[in-house]
Amino acid sequence: MPSKRKQVRPTTAPVARTARGAEGDELTTAHGLRLSDTDHSLKAGPRGPSLLEDFHLREKITHFDHERIPERVVHARGAAAHGVFVANGAAASVTKAAFLAEAGRETPVFTRFSTVLGSRGSADTVRDVRGFAVKFYTAEGNVDLVGNNMPVFFIQDGIKFPDVIHAGKPHPDREIPQAQSAHDTFWDFVSLHTEATHHVLWAMSDRGIPRSYRTMEGFGVHTFRLVAADGATSLVKFHWKPVAGVHSLVWEEAQLAAGTDPDFHRRDLADGIDAGAFLEYDLGIQVLPDSAEETFEGIDLLDPTKIVPEELAPVQVIGRLTLNRNPDNYFAETEQVAFHTGNLVPGIEVTNDPLMQARLFSYLDTQLTRLGGPNFTQLPINCPHAAVNDNLRDGMHQTLVHKGQVAYLPNGIDGDLPRVSDQGYVHLPREVEGPKVRANPVSFEDHFSQATLFYRSLTEVERVHLVEAFTFELGKCYEQPIRERALAQLANVDTDLCAEVAAGLGLKAPKGKPAKDVTPSPALSIVVTEPGPITGRVIGVLAVPGSDLTGIARLRTAAKARGAVVRVIAPIGGILSADGKEEIIERTLLTTRSIEYDAIVLADGTGEFKDIKSTVLLQEAFRHCKTIAAWGSGEQALLAAGVDTTAPGIVLAAKSTKAFTTAVLDAVGLHRAWARADHVMQS
Ligand code: HDE
């Protein structure tokens, strides 16, 4: 007997939708009444008061008054993209979840990147953790991998989350500073709460200021349990590895960008996708044996302040994520997407990591307030692509018109449908025992050894950045005892690190007991020595009337072939033309800053040109160790701007040739000429 149960969407108006999603071309009220005027309120005479009777005025203003929903408590500032995940089959031995295991299976995804501390309108490039949340619309239901760009977290137990967030958010009395950790309450908390040490080192490292979402790693943070088809289980850590490599900004650049282009990361994401330079990440897993102790090489896998170094357990790639479509509407998609760590399918389970356990409660709970009730799964961006057949009914914003009489089980009226499935999610039976306590395992007490491991795994230039970041942040604190406590914490990480930060603050370095036998993990460093992909990178070419337009076109073609773009910068706007060729001027010295470019190239013809703004542009690019290049008379302009053309990362040529463009693009592929950092300090 066919089921009488049906879930149908409300009948849509019998009018075709236009490209912008509207029904027809005529303006109507929300109730479909066509309007003849939307610019004048109904008044008692042209100079008279407005009339309460004006239903259009009231509807228009009332709807406007309610346009905002509560922003996310954390991760309010975000940007997102649609894409696809394609599994390569390598996970088949460890999980029965088809979207991960089946070679070639394509799963649509929606990925939202975010900062943690700032409000929705805050700047993208602040020093902070980045969220990396992926919703997989699998055939078995939605799976959310709600990760960050750092593999560890500030706290070991979710009950501390309100504490760390309250400490990091602006001070409650004046609501400053916005989207910053460089303030007293943050450092007060993390210096007292030493389990945050490892994470604080990550946040103060270059990972806290990514170049773009494209060049950012992602981590599941917690250990998950995968279940294979034969029931065998493994403990795993998830990693997203960006195909474009891991790269960051430098701090001064991040600060400049926060002012000149607060949308730096979301613009880069959207522009890249529009230009066909899609974002790509490999999904990898570290597979660790599922033992009773839940440890690996002495590392407690339930402790979210610990990593498993890749040298001990290699990351095995199980598929690739490609982000290839921008959202059509920020609010409907990016703002309304609702992630939940409990969205799982058979083959993936959570572990007893006490941070993860609290998250399993929090995400569903927060959506009820943020999205105004329990029916947010019906919003298009949250709708599973699998069939939904629940007995959940009514509630705010119910958009389904459920039919029939039955919304319960068991039932005799509707054939006892919907029935439970033999393919359904079964929690793996596992023993749970122990006294009821508010306590952590003893192994959670090691708060420093992995912070030491992280610091000692960095290259010299990364260590310098880390020291500068600590010195900057602590230098912004007003309370001396907080600085001193933070130094005491660093003394237990590394003596040199502590001494250098102390020197920068003008304080005496305290003594500590840093771990001695730490084996560095080179995989933690992000400095590259071979040119990598330059997809999505931006090369600014400074040109003037009379510049060599053929050379610019050659660079553009070569850059485009490698997924990068060239933007022409000139003193004033318009079009440059010579010998029948034209170049549109995309930026003028008034509308640009160095932060927009990964490299700045001076075209032949700029030799006599000198302007304080171009000098600043070049000086900043020089200080930030970006590629600087010139051909022909461009070299003269470089010298006139005070650029040391003998420094590393400066590419010069008499003419624009293929070899020159290749050298420029390869230099961009190194991300930065870090060897120049010494010249910068001396100059
Ligand atoms: Fe979240 N987190 N979180 N978090 N989190 C939220 O959920 C929470 C944690 C992460 O783009 C909220 O929908 C608790 C770790 C991302 O929409 C909220 C704890 C990691 C996003 C919440 C944590 C994350 C969130 C706010 C400690 C990395 C943005 C709005 C137990 C593995 C998702 C929302 C998006 C968002 C709670 C810790 C990642 C309040 C209680 C660890 C990427 O539910």
Side-chain angles (χ1 to χ4, degrees):
M1 188 180 80
S3 168
K4 283 182 260 166
R5 293 170 53 92
K6 268 192 194 153
Q7 292 181 160
V8 289
R9 304 226 161 249
T11 47
T12 46
V15 185
R17 288 187 178 262
T18 65
R20 61 177 194 90
E23 295 173 341
D25 292 332
E26 287 176 328
L27 184 71
T28 73
T29 64
H31 300 271
L33 174 71
R34 283 178 294 178
L35 289 162
S36 55
D37 184 334
T38 189
D39 296 330
H40 303 92
S41 49
L42 193 67
K43 295 188 281 284
R47 297 168 66 83
S50 299
L51 299 177
L52 190 60
E53 178 189 333
D54 189 348
F55 53 81
H56 175 45
L57 169 74
R58 279 186 288 117
E59 183 193 68
K60 191 172 175 181
I61 299 290
T62 305
H63 196 280
F64 171 77
D65 291 346
H66 297 268
E67 273 179 10
R68 296 287 173 271
I69 58 172
E71 68 173 32
R72 288 166 172 81
V73 187
V74 283
H75 296 267
R77 171 83 185 166
H82 293 270
V84 63
F85 175 75
V86 185
N88 66 12
S93 58
V94 286
T95 181
K96 61 184 172 194
F99 81 103
L100 292 180
E102 209 178 282
R105 180 181 278 257
E106 295 186 7
T107 304
V109 299
F110 188 68
T111 298
R112 184 174 181 273
F113 301 106
S114 47
T115 54
V116 178
L117 290 175
S119 299
R120 200 182 134 183
S122 59
D124 281 344
T125 58
V126 295
R127 180 177 294 284
D128 197 355
V129 183
R130 299 299 185 288
F132 192 133
V134 183
K135 188 178 281 296
F136 297 87
Y137 301 93
T138 89
E140 296 181 282
N142 289 353
V143 174
D144 295 346
L145 187 53
V146 197
N148 279 345
N149 76 327
M150 298 178 191
V152 288
F153 206 63
F154 290 105
I155 50 173
Q156 293 166 319
D157 187 317
I159 198 167
K160 299 290 297 174
F161 195 58
D163 297 294
V164 64
I165 296 304
H166 289 170
K169 286 272 186 184
H171 294 191
D173 51 357
R174 294 171 195 172
E175 211 187 34
I176 47 178
Q178 178 58 235
Q180 307 277 321
S181 51
H183 58 99
D184 285 287
T185 56
F186 175 79
W187 288 97
D188 185 29
F189 177 79
V190 296
S191 60
L192 287 167
H193 175 81
T194 50
E195 73 195 42
T197 312
H198 188 192
H199 188 113
V200 169
L201 259 87
W202 277 81
M204 294 304 118
S205 79
D206 292 343
R207 307 280 187 144
I209 43 172
R211 157 66 181 85
S212 59
Y213 296 135
R214 179 194 299 280
T215 58
M216 205 170 79
E217 271 180 303
F219 302 90
V221 176
H222 315 279
T223 302
F224 290 76
R225 181 170 276 109
L226 292 188
V227 187
D230 63 2
T233 61
S234 343
L235 296 175
V236 303
K237 295 256 182 204
F238 286 105
H239 295 246
W240 291 109
K241 297 273 183 196
V243 173
V246 189
H247 299 293
S248 289
L249 301 171
V250 295
W251 181 225
E252 186 186 47
E253 195 187 4
Q255 289 175 291
L256 286 174
T260 55
D261 186 6
D263 307 307
F264 190 78
H265 285 149
R266 62 166 64 172
R267 189 189 305 286
D268 178 273
L269 171 70
D271 284 358
I273 292 177
D274 274 348
F278 300 148
L279 289 80
E280 293 177 304
Y281 307 82
D282 283 328
L283 178 62
I285 47 175
Q286 286 178 296
V287 181
L288 312 159
D290 190 0
S291 64
E293 299 74 34
E294 298 170 313
T295 61
F296 181 76
E297 302 271 341
I299 301 162
D300 194 330
L301 298 175
L302 297 194
D303 179 351
T305 67
K306 303 288 187 314
I307 60 160
V308 175
E310 291 184 30
E311 290 76 8
L312 297 182
V315 175
Q316 303 169 35
V317 174
I318 62 169
R320 181 165 284 190
L321 167 69
T322 305
L323 299 179
N324 53 18
R325 184 161 64 87
N326 283 313
D328 289 318
N329 184 279
Y330 185 89
F331 181 82
E333 301 176 90
T334 310
E335 191 62 6
Q336 293 200 120
V337 66
F339 292 94
H340 176 23
T341 45
N343 284 349
L344 301 164
V345 292
I348 313 177
E349 297 215 347
V350 295
T351 56
N352 292 344
D353 169 347
L355 185 65
M356 166 55 106
Q357 294 284 320
R359 295 181 75 198
L360 290 165
F361 164 75
S362 179
Y363 287 74
L364 178 56
D365 182 49
T366 202
Q367 313 306 353
L368 299 178
T369 302
R370 203 168 68 76
L371 297 169
N375 289 316
F376 58 86
T377 52
Q378 296 175 14
L379 294 167
I381 196 65
N382 297 323
C383 253
H385 291 198
V388 175
N389 205 4
D390 59 38
N391 275 337
L392 308 173
R393 289 294 180 272
D394 308 343
M396 298 278 258
H397 318 303
Q398 177 60 260
T399 63
L400 299 171
V401 183
H402 293 101
K403 298 211 172 166
Q405 298 165 325
V406 171
Y408 55 86
L409 281 173
N411 69 68
I413 297 179
D414 205 10
D416 209 16
L417 292 174
R419 61 175 161 267
V420 296
S421 166
D422 52 10
Q423 304 293 308
Y425 194 92
V426 179
H427 294 265
L428 212 69
R430 292 182 65 81
E431 293 291 325
V432 178
E433 60 174 348
K436 198 191 289 179
V437 289
R438 291 190 184 273
N440 275 341
V442 178
S443 73
F444 279 34
E445 283 168 19
D446 168 15
H447 296 170
F448 296 107
S449 66
Q450 285 217 340
T452 307
L453 183 154
F454 179 71
Y455 181 68
R456 299 209 182 139
S457 303
L458 300 181
T459 57
E460 186 53 32
V461 67
E462 291 167 295
R463 290 185 191 194
V464 170
H465 290 168
L466 190 79
V467 167
E468 286 174 353
F470 269 104
T471 315
F472 174 92
E473 299 251 329
L474 293 170
K476 290 277 187 177
C477 292
Y478 292 92
E479 300 284 335
Q480 192 70 352
I482 294 177
R483 295 179 185 179
E484 286 168 3
R485 216 164 44 221
L487 286 177
Q489 188 183 9
L490 286 184
N492 286 324
V493 177
D494 186 272
T495 309
D496 291 344
L497 168 65
C498 178
E500 286 173 41
V501 176
L505 294 170
L507 294 174
K508 198 165 169 294
K511 284 206 176 2
K513 279 196 187 149
K516 282 202 184 87
D517 304 323
V518 168
T519 312
S521 163
L524 296 175
S525 164
I526 62 173
V527 167
V528 293
T529 49
E530 293 298 322
I534 60 166
T535 324
R537 299 295 185 137
V538 183
I539 299 161
V541 181
L542 185 63
V544 293
S547 277
D548 169 14
L549 301 191
T550 310
I552 298 179
R554 180 175 294 120
L555 184 61
R556 170 175 288 113
T557 308
K560 196 171 172 206
R562 285 162 76 164
V565 292
V566 162
R567 290 199 199 296
V568 174
I569 316 162
I572 52 168
I575 292 178
L576 293 173
S577 48
D579 305 332
K581 297 190 181 63
E582 287 197 338
E583 280 292 340
I584 297 169
I585 298 166
E586 288 183 82
R587 298 285 189 278
T588 69
L589 289 175
L590 196 67
T591 60
T592 202
R593 276 307 280 268
S594 64
I595 55 121
E596 280 195 89
Y597 312 105
D598 294 287
I600 296 187
V601 184
L602 270 69
D604 182 29
T606 47
E608 300 300 315
F609 180 72
K610 195 160 187 259
D611 181 293
I612 183 66
K613 290 200 182 67
S614 63
T615 301
V616 170
L617 192 76
L618 289 163
Q619 288 289 343
E620 282 174 359
F622 186 82
R623 274 210 305 284
H624 304 154
C625 299
K626 292 177 176 174
T627 299
I628 295 179
W631 78 93
S633 71
E635 185 178 352
Q636 253 173 277
L638 274 188
L639 291 167
V643 170
D644 173 1
T645 52
T646 64
I650 311 281
V651 185
L652 301 173
K655 278 194 188 148
S656 147
T657 58
K658 192 171 172 221
F660 171 72
T661 53
T662 306
V664 173
L665 301 179
D666 284 351
V668 175
L670 287 169
H671 181 58
R672 299 294 161 98
W674 292 124
R676 197 192 299 153
D678 293 340
H679 287 246
V680 174
M681 279 182 229
Q682 283 154 19
S683 59

